[in-house]
Each structure stands twice: as structure tokens, then as C-alpha cells.
Amino acid sequence: MAANDNLGAEATGVQRVDPPDGLAANQALWDTWAEIHGTGPNDLSYNVEDFLAGRQTLRGIERELAGDVAGKDLLHLQCHFGMDTLSWARLGARVTGVDFSPVAIARAQALAERAGLAAEFIEADTQHLPDHLAHRFDLVVATYGILSWIADLDAWMRGAAGALRPGGRLVLVDLHPAFQTVLSIEPFVADWPYGGGEPQRAVLSGSYADPNANMAPQETVQYPYSLGEIVTAAASAGLLVERLGEHTETDSDGRHILPQGPDGMYRFPFSDTHLPIMYSLRAIAPRTTGGS
């Protein structure tokens, strides 16, 4: 997935909304994106043919946090149409991908077949994971565009924690909440709350992968969470946070607002320093009920 898409797609009329759950609107949007992503020459995020030729889609942050995945059972939450999920499979993991979009799941299954890779893909809301996934996995992974689509952060964390075996780890990499508040760098404009979880409505046209994609404007509801709220939700779900990172550079800018440096990296300039663009969290499921 890709995060907070008043980010990377054209959004209008961002405002607070009363409905507690934008699941239906968001699923409709992601169904549309799952149909078009990786299908056009102007797609900035998904190159299916390169993937089928062997290109690795995972970034260094999640690979370093996950470690050696060979022979491990890995659950990928909000897997979209499966390119990253199948990249984990290429590294030797036994993979299961979950997404709420039936279109994305159908495409993921077809992509696995084309790539000749074993994978299970399940259509489900990650706030309400199926019971048969409980305690099955050594790793639960979710990356890039995750929690801003989640109305119930605590339920999401409980599901991730519940899918882990004792000693298993959650690896979460996402846009930093401070960076999500920013609409543009030059000029500097911030139009998104920092935390609180209150639903925000936007009407999107285009996609983060292809801002000029031919699609009708669609409504979305997203939810801003602070870094403190995210870590607290992980702890409340019984996970032990091992590592929290804040990252000031990235090799790609899915929001298309950051300046690119001479070294090819993107950074968020602030005075004579840089603000974080992404965060990463690794947390462990306790080996015993006492957490030892």
C-alpha cells in the first residue's frame, strides 16, 4: 500500500467527517487502484515485468529489520497485489498476504502463478483477521501506507500480535506522522493533523503510482496517528518494542514532494537539518505470558 493519499494523488476538500469507519469507501478506492497499478507505462511504483524478471521490490529497512526469513512463516498485512509479498517468498519465506480488496487478491494470486512462487492470499480486513491465522507466524510485516487507512489502531495491533507465535516479530515501516502532515515543501504547507485518529475525508483523483491515471474522483477516509499513539497501541497489544527508528532519507518519494539530492536520495529539508520521512518499528511477541 501507499500511505496517506492526500499524498501522491490529487486531493480536494480535506475535512473532518463524522462516520466512524470509511472501510467501504476505501475498499472501493483500492479496488480501482488494484485494477490500474502496474498496468501503464507511466506507473512510478509498480513494474510487473521487471518483477517477473527477478527484480527485488523490498527496501533495505524492512529487510534489515526482518533478518533472514528463509524457512520462516511470514504474514504480510495490506499486501495490495502481492509484489512485496512474493519478494519475501523469493528470499525463502513461506508467505501469506492479506488485503481487503478482492481485486488486489485476485491479481496477487495471478501474479504468484506467473512468477512460479508459492503463496497464500486471503481477502480480509486487517482490523479483523481470520481466526485461523492466530499464532501461525514468525513474522508479521506491514510496509508503506498502512496505518493511515485503519480506523481502529488498537484492533489492528491486536490482530498483528495475535498472528505471531511466541517470540515472533512485527516489522512495521511507514511514513512518519510528521511528514504526513505536510502537503508541500516549497512553499511549506501543512494540512493534515498530527495524530488523534479522527477520520479525515478527501476526494482523490489519480493515484500515488500514477497521478495522471484515468480514473473518476473517489472518496477516501483516512486516520492520522502520532508516533506515540502507534507505539502505545503496540504495547497495549502485548508486544515488546525492540526498536523504533526515524529515518531522514529515502531512495524514492511516493508523495512526489521531496527534493532529490546529488546522491539520488530524497530528504525533508528543515533549516540546516532534515526531518524524518519514515519510521520503523520492530516488536516481539512475548515468549511467555509474563513477557520474559
Side-chain angles (χ1 to χ4, degrees):
M1 283 195 172
N4 188 10
D5 286 288
N6 60 4
L7 316 170
E10 183 179 350
T12 58
V14 176
Q15 61 186 32
R16 176 174 171 171
V17 292
D18 295 327
D21 191 344
L23 190 66
N26 291 341
Q27 181 182 318
L29 176 71
W30 280 96
D31 282 347
T32 298
W33 281 351
E35 289 179 350
I36 64 175
H37 283 170
T39 64
N42 299 318
D43 195 298
L44 301 173
S45 299
Y46 304 99
N47 189 319
V48 172
E49 295 307 316
D50 279 0
F51 168 77
L52 291 171
R55 183 177 70 88
Q56 175 61 253
T57 66
L58 302 173
R59 299 184 189 182
I61 296 175
E62 57 262 34
R63 290 186 64 174
E64 190 267 330
L65 288 172
D68 183 5
V69 300
K72 293 185 177 179
D73 294 305
L74 184 149
L75 177 64
H76 184 195
L77 299 180
Q78 290 159 247
C79 66
H80 200 27
F81 69 97
M83 288 177 66
D84 281 2
T85 317
L86 296 171
S87 289
W88 289 112
R90 281 181 172 157
L91 295 175
R94 294 182 293 269
V95 298
T96 300
V98 173
D99 199 277
F100 68 171
S101 164
V103 179
I105 291 300
R107 282 199 66 192
Q109 292 166 338
L111 186 63
E113 184 174 351
R114 290 181 67 191
L117 294 166
E120 179 182 15
F121 289 101
I122 298 170
E123 179 191 336
D125 176 7
T126 54
Q127 297 165 108
H128 304 285
L129 291 176
D131 291 342
H132 71 269
L133 297 181
H135 312 303
R136 276 183 47 188
F137 297 94
D138 304 299
L139 285 162
V140 171
V141 176
T143 52
Y144 310 111
I146 303 302
L147 297 182
S148 67
W149 299 99
I150 298 302
D152 191 336
L153 177 61
D154 289 329
W156 189 95
M157 282 291 182
R158 287 194 302 269
L164 289 168
R165 296 176 175 132
R169 285 175 167 82
L170 168 67
V171 170
L172 173 63
V173 185
D174 212 343
L175 291 189
H176 196 286
F179 182 47
Q180 287 182 302
T181 68
V182 178
L183 178 65
S184 66
I185 302 291
E186 293 290 345
F188 183 85
V189 177
D191 74 337
W192 185 259
Y194 184 85
E198 294 294 329
Q200 310 290 315
R201 184 193 306 271
V203 177
L204 302 183
S205 59
S207 156
Y208 62 92
D210 185 355
N212 298 314
N214 183 19
M215 56 174 279
Q218 290 186 242
E219 180 182 288
T220 164
V221 182
Q222 296 181 65
Y223 309 87
Y225 298 108
S226 70
L227 204 56
E229 289 166 337
I230 293 164
V231 173
T232 298
S236 297
L239 295 168
L240 307 176
V241 176
E242 293 185 310
R243 177 171 164 179
L244 178 66
E246 297 178 278
H247 307 279
T248 59
E249 61 182 36
T250 178
D251 59 3
S252 64
D253 173 23
R255 297 188 56 198
H256 319 300
I257 65 172
L258 294 174
Q260 187 175 22
D263 59 355
M265 302 299 285
Y266 296 87
R267 297 175 180 87
F268 181 0
F270 183 75
S271 187
D272 59 351
T273 185
H274 300 97
L275 294 180
I277 300 165
M278 294 184 294
Y279 73 91
S280 59
L281 181 147
R282 186 173 68 194
I284 186 170
R287 294 185 181 276
T288 70
T289 56
S292 59

